Amino acid sequence: MRKIILVLVLSFFGQFAAAQDVIAPDKGIEGVIQNQIDAFLLDDFEQAFQYAAPSIQQLFGTPDNFGTMVRNGYPMVWRPEDVDFADLRKIQGNLWQKVIVTDQAGQVFALDYKMVRVDGFWRIAAVQLLPMPDLSA
């Protein structure tokens, strides 16, 4: 129930963000993100690296470097308990997929995945952690 309320709150706040348009979900985008997360769950950083855009691949150089960054910087993505897809938005000409991730300790995170087309395939060009609204009374 808490997760449903959180998703609704995040969607509500997302409606008021400047210069963004919510667009229809894209199963291809969701599939790429889910496939990368599935690869992380198997510690298959070589496969996970394939879903990253060339700019990310150049930045980290190797799947091992990429894996180290994910383990240290995004542990909730490396070992999620649950993954839910929220709004796909177009912001200043870029597509951003909001993803709600619950880690194994039950903490909920909202992340934004910037998606780009590379040779006809969706790739992940950036991931950013979004601030969570304060739900306390």
Side-chain angles (χ1 to χ4, degrees):
M1 181 65 156
R2 182 177 142 208
K3 188 187 316 183
I4 292 171
I5 291 170
L6 182 60
V7 169
L8 292 173
V9 168
L10 287 173
S11 295
F12 175 77
F13 281 106
Q15 292 177 10
F16 295 103
Q20 75 177 20
D21 294 315
V22 175
I23 60 176
D26 186 303
K27 293 300 178 188
I29 286 174
E30 292 177 5
V32 165
I33 295 168
Q34 187 64 59
N35 288 342
Q36 187 181 63
I37 291 171
D38 291 345
F40 288 145
L41 286 167
L42 298 172
D43 286 333
D44 187 348
F45 297 115
E46 193 165 318
Q47 182 64 38
F49 197 55
Q50 299 307 308
Y51 298 108
S55 59
I56 300 298
Q57 291 176 351
Q58 287 179 322
L59 180 65
F60 292 99
T62 69
D64 287 337
N65 290 341
F66 180 67
T68 297
M69 179 278 299
V70 171
R71 282 192 310 270
N72 294 329
Y74 296 91
M76 75 291 285
V77 173
W78 176 51
R79 289 292 187 265
E81 182 66 30
D82 191 42
V83 177
D84 292 304
F85 293 93
D87 291 336
L88 175 62
R89 290 130 30 249
K90 190 171 194 174
I91 304 171
Q92 298 178 343
N94 296 304
L95 290 181
W96 290 86
Q97 175 65 59
K98 188 180 294 183
V99 180
I100 310 301
V101 176
T102 305
D103 71 9
Q104 293 184 359
Q107 188 170 356
V108 179
F109 299 87
L111 298 108
D112 242 350
Y113 282 72
K114 181 180 179 183
M115 302 302 294
V116 297
R117 281 273 202 196
V118 177
D119 298 328
F121 297 96
W122 288 113
R123 295 293 176 250
I124 300 165
V127 178
Q128 61 184 10
L129 193 58
L130 297 172
M132 295 294 286
D134 184 6
L135 299 178
S136 62

